[in-house]
């Protein structure tokens, strides 16, 4: 294989969950640039979406939604690459006492169990072919949990990391590479919405809320959060044959937020 061809993903059927906004949209675009045949799942298809024939309308936090996505991908011939981007937090601010049990279940379904269900449905075909790539989006919050409003999210991402590591060990001998990507802050619309929610709950400005988040993380040495395109470039590398010996790892992309001990 030519050296430059190791970057290419030509013809590889790829599923990107949560691929219409933020990092997910950037990931889908980057993988298309590399030649992948990219399918995207999300709850709603944007009105101006450019690839409607490759869109699966589904809520992967539900059993029914994951079944639908798995069914559509199986009809297409299965997935060569799965990138689990979908995730997020809707937990109210106020610490653990402000979080009812139902919210814990909601966060686990969205940030952990949806990926488990999709993997269970789609990975057997990868094993049968003897090849495949699975990437799970975790979060540095699994290591630096923000107790005020996103503790359930952090706990779910910690579970996803542990699951990802165990799955990687099992599947590597069968030709399927599993890795995790652990972003810190990413500059997206969802980040701004989170700042607004935190600001409203605490009676402070959005700027003050953003600074509070930065401070709670212990600061970001790089001085900024990651751009979505930077996240997408990392995904492109890990999905490619250049990363063929990388298995069971969690690649942190956080501008230096997590301290080095």
């Amino acid at each position: 294989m030519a050296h430059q061809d190791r970057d290419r993903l030509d013809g590889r059927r790829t599923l990107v969950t949560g691929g219409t906004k933020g990092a997910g949209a950037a990931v889908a675009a980057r993988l298309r640039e590399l030649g992948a045949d990219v399918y995207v799942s999300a709850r709603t298809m944007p009105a101006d979406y450019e690839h409607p024939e490759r869109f699966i309308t589904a809520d992967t936090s539900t059993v029914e939604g994951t079944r639908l996505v798995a069914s559509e991908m199986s009809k297409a011939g299965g997935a060569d690459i799965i990138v689990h981007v979908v995730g997020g937090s809707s937990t109210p601010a106020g610490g653990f006492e402000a979080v009812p049990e139902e919210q814990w279940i909601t966060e686990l379904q969205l940030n952990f169990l949806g990926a488990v269900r999709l993997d269970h449905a789609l990975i057997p075909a990868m094993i049968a072919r003897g090849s495949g790539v699975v990437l799970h989006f975790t979060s540095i919050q699994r290591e630096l949990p923000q107790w005020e409003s996103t503790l359930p999210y952090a706990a779910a991402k910690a579970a996803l990391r542990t699951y990802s590591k165990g799955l990687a060990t099992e599947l590597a001998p069968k030709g399927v590479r599993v890795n995790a990507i652990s972003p810190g802050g990413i500059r997206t619309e969802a980040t701004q919405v989170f700042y607004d929610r935190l600001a409203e709950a605490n009676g402070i400005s959005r700027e003050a809320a953003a600074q509070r988040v930065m401070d709670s993380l212990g600061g970001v040495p790089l001085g900024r959060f990651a751009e979505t395109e930077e996240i997408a470039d990392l995904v492109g590398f890990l999905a490619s044959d250049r990363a063929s010996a990388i298995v069971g790892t969690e690649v942190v992309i956080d501008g230096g937020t997590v301290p080095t001990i």
Side-chain angles (χ1 to χ4, degrees), residues 202-219:
N202 291 277
I204 57 179
S205 67
R206 174 192 281 185
E207 292 71 23
Q211 188 59 52
R212 178 176 292 189
V213 171
M214 296 280 276
D215 292 345
S216 69
L217 292 170

Side-chain angles (χ1 to χ4, degrees), residues 166-210:
L167 190 67
T169 303
E170 177 183 358
L171 297 184
K174 302 175 182 180
V176 180
R177 290 194 299 110
V178 180
N179 288 295
I181 294 173
S182 179
I186 308 173
R187 293 176 61 177
T188 65
E189 291 182 9
T191 304
Q192 299 305 314
V193 171
F194 171 63
Y195 290 159
D196 289 339
R197 192 168 77 242
L198 193 61
E200 182 178 358
N202 291 277
I204 57 179
S205 67
R206 174 192 281 185
E207 292 71 23

Side-chain angles (χ1 to χ4, degrees), residues 74-212:
S74 295
K75 290 177 185 176
D80 300 301
I81 301 168
I82 307 171
V83 188
H84 295 284
V85 183
V86 70
S89 175
S90 58
T91 299
F96 83 97
E97 288 185 294
V99 187
E101 181 175 339
E102 309 83 66
Q103 187 63 35
W104 279 93
I105 300 300
T106 294
E107 300 285 355
L108 285 167
Q109 296 280 15
L110 176 63
N111 295 292
F112 175 51
L113 292 175
V116 173
R117 294 185 186 110
L118 273 176
D119 287 347
H120 191 266
L122 295 174
I123 287 176
M126 291 181 171
I127 295 173
R129 291 192 301 272
S131 67
V133 174
V134 180
L135 298 174
H136 297 116
F137 267 59
T138 58
S139 168
I140 63 168
Q141 283 209 43
R142 77 166 187 86
E143 192 167 351
L144 297 173
Q146 303 301 293
W147 58 266
E148 185 177 37
S149 60
T150 54
L151 187 57
Y153 167 84
K157 290 301 189 181
L160 184 61
R161 168 58 182 141
T162 300
Y163 159 74
S164 184
K165 179 64 177 177
L167 190 67
T169 303
E170 177 183 358
L171 297 184
K174 302 175 182 180
V176 180
R177 290 194 299 110
V178 180
N179 288 295
I181 294 173
S182 179
I186 308 173
R187 293 176 61 177
T188 65
E189 291 182 9
T191 304
Q192 299 305 314
V193 171
F194 171 63
Y195 290 159
D196 289 339
R197 192 168 77 242
L198 193 61
E200 182 178 358
N202 291 277
I204 57 179
S205 67
R206 174 192 281 185
E207 292 71 23
Q211 188 59 52
R212 178 176 292 189

Side-chain angles (χ1 to χ4, degrees), residues 242-253:
R242 287 190 183 276
S244 57
I246 300 177
V247 172
T249 194
E250 182 183 48
V251 181
V252 177
I253 177 168

